[in-house]
Amino acid sequence: MEKVIQVLNQMQADGIIERFAIGGGIAAIRYLEPYLTDDIDVFISPVVVGPNGLMSFDRIYAYLEELGYNTEREYIRIEDWLVQFVPASESVQEEAVAQAERVAFAGEYATIFSSEHLAAELLRSGRLKDHTRVLALLESGQMDMEVFHDIIRRHGLWEKWKEFAVRYDWKEK
Amino acid sequence: MSSGTFDPNKFRVEDLFRAKEERRKQLASLPFQEKIKIVERLKTVPAAFKNERLIFDSFLNVCPDFAGELIQEWDVVEEWYAKRAIDPPLQPFDKRPDIIAVTASGRRIGVELKSWVNREQIADARKQERIQENILKAIGKQPPNKTQHIGQVWLSPKQLRFDAGDDLHFREQLFVFVEKVDKDCSQSPEREQNLLQDQDRNDFAAFPILEKYLDRVRFHSKVRHRSNNWITFPYSASFFSSKTMLDTLKRALLTHRDDEKYKDLRKHVGLDEVYLLVHYDFKAFAYNTPFDAPNFGFKEAAKFASNALQGDGGHFDRIFLFHFLCGKEKAYRVI
């Protein structure tokens, strides 16, 4: 993954992306036990909108293609990893990128969602596998629950949290 | 539970969960870069290992104490080393045996998985499947059956690779041939009495492409068959004897038991015991002739296996026979 981190940092240095942070499965691995995953979700902010009003990835794709990295379905393959650029269009994602943590990685720094923002984003996303990860994060004891509560309140996720707690019988200690 | 004085009789399921939880926490506490290295190693684990994981997981459900006590942790061989970030032994022992497990008392058990399949039969069946697929592709979407007398058409193909260039002609000739047979039926005296019989036809003289690819075509009367996919293939009904599969099992057991590549496995991999798990799975069920017969089921097959081995496990300490079909899982120790 070293190459991916190098490329992302270089893209930022070259002004192709302003801010980015890794979320999804790879971010979860920072806090949990490692498991098999093929892709890296890179959240980017601010969201660039093209002339047609749609989100634009033109600059990103052109830059990476010049480096020899090509698209594969919705991903770009960088060495052995499939990288997906996700526009941080939800307020919780935007904040997760802005407040991401810098983690030393192979002589570089990778910016990764905090455990609280990651759990909030997974709660928002709401798929079964996302909920499984939220549970694992909660059980890992690596989350500051006050910070988490504050995030989900501010981003309108409190109702989802209540539903989640009932569904999974989650009681805070 | 004290790790100093271990008593397997006092080992409980909760202890297993606790041990697993501890291992999970230990892995979670590794530095991020180290965890990513583990993920990168896991990415190199081929699909075959995923299948082995399924088989062993299912076996463990049926036979949790196969080693004489509960299993504390286990993994497919490559994952065993990758997940624990430990260096594997030198080749070829880095990929053997398929499963490494540690029992509650700390014994390291290696399990080699082998399938009970007749590969020749599978190769034949797959060849047949490919031929049928190509013919169906040539026919394309089947039009509604507008014949007067034909309910279903069964094609018996020759053992010949289908040339894609023949697609169009095959389709054309087949439908003309079907029409011809339908007309013949109209002129048959039996028609008046509604007594049309199923019939085999191979008079392909005017249909060279059908002649090239088909042995014969069976036409079933409309009285009995009404189906949307009315052009199809007969079910395979070749003669079989359960002896074929039992011979295959005996051959597999004796070959693996005495295979020299397992001779020094214990020493090179650092195992206390090595087991062989022979499984009967969906591939065998789908493509091989059945092993069972009236009053002869999987239990009897296990007895047969045990007799074949005559108490000699060769390089293996224990040998199991496992029926790995969803909902019908069963396992027997045969040594």
Side-chain angles (χ1 to χ4, degrees):
Chain A
M1 205 171 80
E2 290 170 38
K3 192 70 198 172
V4 178
I5 303 298
Q6 278 173 17
V7 169
L8 290 172
N9 286 335
Q10 195 55 50
M11 283 172 80
Q12 193 175 28
D14 291 343
I16 303 299
I17 46 178
E18 201 174 309
R19 281 195 303 272
F20 75 90
I22 295 172
I26 292 291
I29 286 172
R30 184 180 172 219
Y31 308 103
L32 306 172
E33 63 177 314
Y35 53 82
L36 183 62
T37 180
D38 266 341
D39 59 326
I40 304 176
D41 292 334
V42 178
F43 289 78
I44 49 171
S45 172
V47 176
V48 179
V49 179
N52 53 4
L54 298 172
M55 290 172 197
S56 170
F57 293 95
D58 288 356
R59 285 190 76 198
I60 293 173
Y61 286 5
Y63 179 91
L64 291 171
E65 266 173 25
E66 207 151 289
L67 293 177
Y69 303 123
N70 297 312
T71 52
E72 252 183 66
R73 292 171 287 140
E74 67 270 39
Y75 302 99
I76 291 186
R77 182 174 284 284
I78 301 179
E79 308 288 320
D80 287 337
W81 290 92
L82 293 169
V83 180
Q84 184 170 29
F85 288 93
V86 184
S89 51
E90 298 284 340
S91 64
V92 67
Q93 295 170 339
E94 209 178 337
E95 187 178 286
V97 173
Q99 296 181 15
E101 295 175 4
R102 274 160 61 84
V103 180
F105 189 90
E108 299 253 344
Y109 281 100
T111 42
I112 297 180
F113 280 11
S114 70
S115 57
E116 296 83 9
H117 276 109
L118 178 63
E121 165 56 13
L122 292 169
L123 181 70
R124 187 203 62 77
S125 181
R127 296 167 304 176
L128 187 61
K129 72 171 185 177
D130 298 326
H131 280 176
T132 310
R133 282 188 190 146
V134 174
L135 273 176
L137 284 166
L138 290 167
E139 284 167 355
S140 73
Q142 296 207 45
M143 282 172 56
D144 183 327
M145 292 308 287
E146 263 184 51
V147 173
F148 176 65
H149 286 167
D150 179 46
I151 293 170
I152 55 176
R153 262 198 210 100
R154 284 188 292 103
H155 295 283
L157 296 168
W158 193 254
E159 281 307 309
K160 278 199 171 190
W161 170 242
K162 282 202 303 196
E163 281 168 28
F164 174 94
V166 171
R167 185 171 174 190
Y168 297 99
D169 196 23
W170 173 259
K171 290 182 186 71
E172 280 171 42
K173 290 160 194 163
Chain B
M1 218 183 71
S2 156
S3 58
T5 52
F6 177 81
D7 180 355
N9 296 321
K10 288 183 183 164
F11 200 84
R12 295 162 305 161
V13 175
E14 300 85 77
D15 296 322
L16 279 186
F17 282 116
R18 198 174 305 123
K20 274 191 175 180
E21 188 52 39
E22 271 167 27
R23 198 172 85 79
R24 197 175 293 146
K25 275 186 188 161
Q26 213 178 344
L27 283 167
S29 66
L30 289 172
F32 181 56
Q33 198 173 336
E34 219 166 294
K35 289 199 253 184
I36 293 297
K37 267 189 196 152
I38 292 176
V39 177
E40 282 172 341
R41 283 200 203 176
L42 288 175
K43 272 154 62 96
T44 65
V45 175
F49 290 105
K50 289 172 193 157
N51 193 36
E52 284 164 358
R53 170 171 282 283
L54 279 180
I55 295 166
F56 189 73
D57 198 32
S58 173
F59 171 68
L60 206 52
N61 274 334
V62 176
C63 211
D65 55 353
F66 73 99
E69 56 177 318
L70 291 177
I71 295 298
Q72 186 174 330
E73 57 175 325
W74 68 273
D75 259 310
V76 172
V77 60
E78 287 206 350
E79 291 183 355
W80 177 269
Y81 299 116
K83 280 186 187 170
R84 288 157 186 81
I86 48 177
D87 291 329
L90 294 176
Q91 283 183 343
F93 297 100
D94 56 334
K95 291 189 171 62
R96 289 182 200 156
D98 298 310
I99 304 289
I100 296 178
V102 173
T103 67
S105 68
R107 282 156 57 224
R108 272 168 73 105
I109 311 281
V111 184
E112 184 68 11
L113 307 186
K114 291 288 172 195
S115 54
W116 170 14
V117 285
N118 185 317
R119 296 194 190 284
E120 293 81 24
Q121 277 187 350
I122 289 180
D124 286 348
R126 288 215 163 137
K127 188 177 164 193
Q128 194 66 26
E129 261 186 10
R130 274 197 299 276
I131 291 170
Q132 292 185 359
E133 273 169 21
N134 286 334
I135 289 179
L136 285 177
K137 208 171 129 202
I139 295 169
K141 193 174 179 333
Q142 297 187 19
N145 180 358
K146 290 188 177 158
T147 61
Q148 296 289 309
H149 309 285
I150 298 164
Q152 210 168 39
V153 177
W154 284 6
L155 310 177
S156 293
K158 290 178 178 169
Q159 298 295 309
L160 192 68
R161 200 174 66 84
F162 199 94
D163 184 349
D166 288 335
D167 273 14
L168 191 62
H169 294 303
F170 184 89
R171 181 184 163 85
E172 280 171 4
Q173 290 184 17
L174 179 65
F175 285 110
V176 174
F177 185 61
V178 169
E179 209 177 303
K180 178 183 177 298
V181 173
D182 194 40
K183 266 186 197 157
D184 291 351
C185 292
S186 297
Q187 289 152 13
S188 159
E190 291 165 335
R191 183 181 64 91
E192 297 301 323
Q193 300 158 46
N194 208 11
L195 287 174
L196 276 176
Q197 296 296 311
D198 295 348
Q199 50 180 292
D200 281 330
R201 299 280 293 258
N202 59 358
D203 45 332
F204 303 133
F207 306 95
I209 299 295
L210 297 188
E211 173 88 63
K212 182 176 170 185
Y213 291 110
L214 299 178
D215 270 333
R216 64 181 178 282
V217 180
R218 168 162 283 209
F219 290 91
H220 292 279
S221 77
K222 209 159 198 168
V223 182
R224 292 204 334 236
H225 298 277
R226 289 177 192 280
S227 160
N228 289 334
N229 286 320
W230 53 290
I231 303 175
T232 183
F233 302 92
Y235 299 110
S236 172
S238 54
F239 170 78
F240 76 88
S241 150
S242 58
K243 192 176 175 302
T244 313
M245 279 304 278
L246 292 176
D247 286 345
T248 304
L249 174 62
K250 185 175 178 180
R251 207 166 44 241
L253 284 168
L254 298 182
T255 310
H256 298 315
R257 178 189 74 175
D258 300 326
D259 193 332
E260 286 295 299
K261 72 181 180 189
Y262 302 119
K263 191 179 164 194
D264 295 323
L265 201 55
R266 199 175 284 120
K267 188 177 82 187
H268 289 287
V269 183
L271 300 168
D272 295 302
E273 288 167 57
V274 185
Y275 299 168
L276 175 65
L277 176 62
V278 177
H279 55 91
Y280 178 85
D281 59 17
F282 182 75
K283 210 187 283 176
F285 175 73
Y287 292 107
N288 286 159
T289 51
F291 67 83
D292 48 354
N295 301 318
F296 192 96
F298 194 68
K299 190 177 174 186
E300 286 70 26
K303 266 187 200 157
F304 169 87
S306 185
N307 290 338
L309 290 165
Q310 295 184 323
D312 178 7
H315 300 306
F316 296 95
D317 300 287
R318 294 183 189 194
I319 298 181
F320 298 88
L321 193 60
F322 176 42
H323 195 271
F324 177 50
L325 280 180
C326 191
K328 293 187 172 179
E329 295 90 343
K330 269 184 213 140
Y332 293 98
R333 184 175 167 187
V334 294
I335 281 284

